[in-house]
Amino acid sequence: MVNLWEMLLDFLFPPHCPLCHAYVEKKGGWCPACLTQALQPHRLPLSVPMRAFLADAWALGLYKDSLRDLIRHLKYQKQRSNLPYIASFLQAAAEEAQVKELLSGMDMAIAVPLYPAKEKQRGFNQAELIFGDFLTSQHIPMMRLLNRIRATRPMYELSEQERTENLKNAFAVTEAKALEGKNILLVDDILTTGATMAECARVLKAAGAKSVRGLVLASDHR
């Protein structure tokens, strides 16, 4: 019955590529050319202070065009209907050599947390929605072991010194024993300044994590 309903919906509303809008075989699909254009795994530049806590950080694509729209519509318009496009993008990314290497040896994943009031208002943590099912399929459990205990200002409008002050005492580990000696994959939707991810990594390392690597869906840095 479910398959018949899905077939009817696909007939009435044919699925299309999120970038060029050409018709595709199934919901969440991309046309091959657009997927190749969007999927650009790359290592992100980190400052010397950040590298003290983050082993490295990677983005799966550039924060523009279809990826930017998918993320914005999910975060700000709560369009969960975009998740199948993200899921198929992630499955394609998992076949890339750099991504396979990144995921190998990871004991668990932790999403950069939202302040509870903000998460309640949004209804979800977008990083968990984006990566949760995908990482589970890669045998990397998503764990909630890090909390944002203080509201912070948007980072893009702050100087480096203001960013440091803004993030001071903003995060806390919930269960340090679960982190001891573990290799952590720290995930978020995008990376802008990198300061938030680096601070999360610092807190995780201070709690006993062996290593922390970063992964975001997209970034405008190369």
Side-chain angles (χ1 to χ4, degrees):
M1 184 67 179
V2 173
N3 288 338
L4 288 175
W5 178 245
E6 289 180 350
M7 290 172 62
L8 178 60
L9 288 177
D10 287 346
F11 176 77
L12 295 174
F13 307 101
H16 57 81
C17 172
L19 184 54
C20 72
H21 303 292
Y23 292 129
V24 292
E25 184 177 348
K26 60 182 180 179
K27 184 179 180 181
W30 299 62
C31 72
C34 290
L35 182 58
T36 299
Q37 179 180 336
L39 183 55
Q40 299 184 43
H42 59 284
R43 191 190 301 267
L44 296 168
L46 298 174
S47 67
V48 172
M50 290 178 185
R51 291 201 298 268
F53 312 113
L54 272 170
D56 58 6
W58 287 76
L60 299 178
L62 297 177
Y63 187 61
K64 66 176 186 177
D65 301 329
S66 53
L67 285 182
R68 179 185 59 202
D69 292 342
L70 289 172
I71 292 170
R72 285 181 174 178
H73 292 164
L74 175 63
K75 285 174 69 172
Y76 305 120
Q77 299 176 26
K78 303 180 182 181
Q79 290 187 8
R80 294 176 184 242
S81 58
N82 285 331
L83 288 172
Y85 292 115
I86 295 173
S88 59
F89 176 85
L90 291 173
Q91 289 301 327
E95 299 302 317
E96 298 289 317
Q98 308 101 308
V99 179
K100 287 182 179 180
E101 190 281 328
L102 173 67
L103 299 180
S104 66
M106 292 294 101
D107 295 307
M108 67 178 72
I110 294 176
V112 171
L114 299 178
Y115 188 61
K118 187 171 184 178
E119 183 171 349
K120 183 178 180 180
Q121 180 185 40
R122 183 169 292 168
F124 51 80
N125 179 327
Q126 68 277 358
E128 290 179 342
L129 272 188
I130 289 169
F131 286 106
D133 289 344
F134 166 69
L135 291 175
T136 297
S137 74
Q138 302 297 313
H139 310 291
I140 302 174
M142 181 78 77
M143 307 291 287
R144 279 208 162 198
L145 297 174
L146 187 66
N147 285 341
R148 190 183 294 244
I149 57 176
R150 185 173 62 78
T152 55
R153 296 162 57 193
M155 299 292 287
Y156 62 85
E157 60 186 20
L158 304 180
S159 67
E160 185 173 351
Q161 184 176 353
E162 288 172 330
R163 290 171 197 162
T164 300
E165 190 63 29
N166 188 40
L167 292 169
K168 188 176 181 181
N169 300 321
F171 301 99
V173 164
T174 61
E175 191 178 343
K177 285 187 177 181
L179 296 169
E180 290 179 1
K182 302 297 185 181
N183 296 310
I184 310 298
L185 185 66
L186 185 61
V187 298
D188 207 354
D189 55 341
I190 62 173
L191 184 143
T192 49
T193 68
T196 300
M197 180 167 279
E199 176 61 13
C200 288
R202 186 194 69 77
V203 172
L204 292 171
K205 290 289 292 290
K210 180 179 179 180
S211 70
V212 181
R213 306 183 77 181
L215 176 64
V216 296
L217 190 65
S219 177
D220 54 7
H221 294 296
R222 293 213 66 148

